[in-house]
Amino acid sequence: MSEAGRVYLEGVAGDGSIARRNRDDWDRWSIVPRVLRQVGPADARSEVLGILSSAPVWVAPVAAQGLGHPEAEVAVARAARAAGLPIVLSQAASRDAEDVAAAAGVYLQQIYLPEHRPAIEPFLDRVVAAGAAGVVLTVDQPASPHVHPFRLAAAAARPLVSPRRPPLPEGTPPAGALHVADIAWLAARTGLPVLVKGVLHPDDARAAVEAGAAGVVVSNHGGRQIGGSITSARALPAVAAAVAARAAVLTDSGIDDADDVFRAVALGADAVLIGRPVVRALWDGGEDAAAALLAELRDEFAHSLQLAGYEDVAALRRAGRGALRALDGPEQKEER
Ligand code: FNR
């Protein structure tokens, strides 16, 4: 893969420390196994908004995967299907939504709403026709004059794929200012459940759900927006407490192994999204490596469930934070 591709994929905002904090804040929750419970092989399957998957793991929308692999998101869709997991396709993907939907098991479409809403309507029609199970409205990347240098790296790198049918007409500014009313508009326009991605404050989660969101994704965009941002691991419990009874709660940013999936579920998530690890695997080892990574995540999660004494995802959800212990430290007290 090109150096520019690597810079683009790994980039974060600020001084770079958010990449470490995103991972470490999951790790500071220790799993406390329960034993003598007669738990056989665990059932790792999950159902979120009627979407079935072999584990509570979805593939995150990551733009421009054609910078490192010719089949890009189509290869990832096949890998996800092989592992029994859904894929959320980026609006700025390298491949057409129709091709990804055909290769995927379950496909959802991520959306950035342009200032001029009608510009995206033909694409929304394509998404519905392609059989999307839901739309994921990303709200943490409004139009901004500031473009981080790592995003410019993508422009410098040459994609390996052939041209696609763009979601927006040539020259449309990519994202506009958003309002809660956009959620109901998108739901009505597509007839699909809308998940709002990039929520970190419980009041915003409440507002999104009251405005018609079927779910929220607790995410700091993999640390790519605000370098000093709160991490998902810290934001998730309060967001889940605010809306989990009424809406689906997903999370991402810094989740890189099955124990992190376990921690996220115990902290209130119905499922997690995995971003960079999948793309790294695709770019370094191809579709087989991406498929192996996802299958391993699924199997290791089932294994962690069993070893920790939970027969299925619902049992872990019921145990909640009781399945974990925060590592000691003054800053952790507030969460206990
Ligand atoms: C992203 N992310 C993202 N999110 C989104 O809603 N639409 C998009 O097009 C993209 N594009 C994108 C490109 C790259 C290179 C990265 C690294 C990330 C954010 C992504 O969906 C997810 O929130 C984070 O990647 C999660 O963090 P991890 O799993 O990468 O740590």
Side-chain angles (χ1 to χ4, degrees), residues 8-11 22 60-63 90-92 110 112 136 138 140-141 197 219-224 252-255 273-277:
Y8 165 68
L9 181 63
E10 302 300 343
N22 274 349
V62 172
S90 165
Q91 181 172 314
Q110 179 264 322
Y112 290 118
V136 176
T138 299
D140 60 6
Q141 198 180 340
K197 175 170 178 280
S219 167
N220 67 16
H221 212 110
R224 287 162 84 83
D252 71 20
S253 298
I255 292 171
L273 272 58
I274 304 289
R276 291 186 187 87

Side-chain angles (χ1 to χ4, degrees), residues 252-318:
D252 71 20
S253 298
I255 292 171
D256 58 10
D257 64 21
D259 286 349
D260 290 344
V261 180
F262 183 104
R263 293 166 169 124
V265 171
L267 292 173
D270 294 300
V272 307
L273 272 58
I274 304 289
R276 291 186 187 87
V278 178
V279 182
R280 277 183 210 123
L282 176 75
W283 286 3
D284 292 342
E287 180 181 328
D288 288 351
L293 174 108
L294 291 170
E296 186 182 320
L297 208 49
R298 174 199 63 199
D299 296 345
E300 287 295 313
F301 173 72
H303 201 217
S304 293
L305 265 187
Q306 181 186 6
L307 289 177
Y310 299 98
E311 61 192 5
D312 56 20
V313 176
L316 176 57
R317 280 301 302 273
R318 281 194 299 277

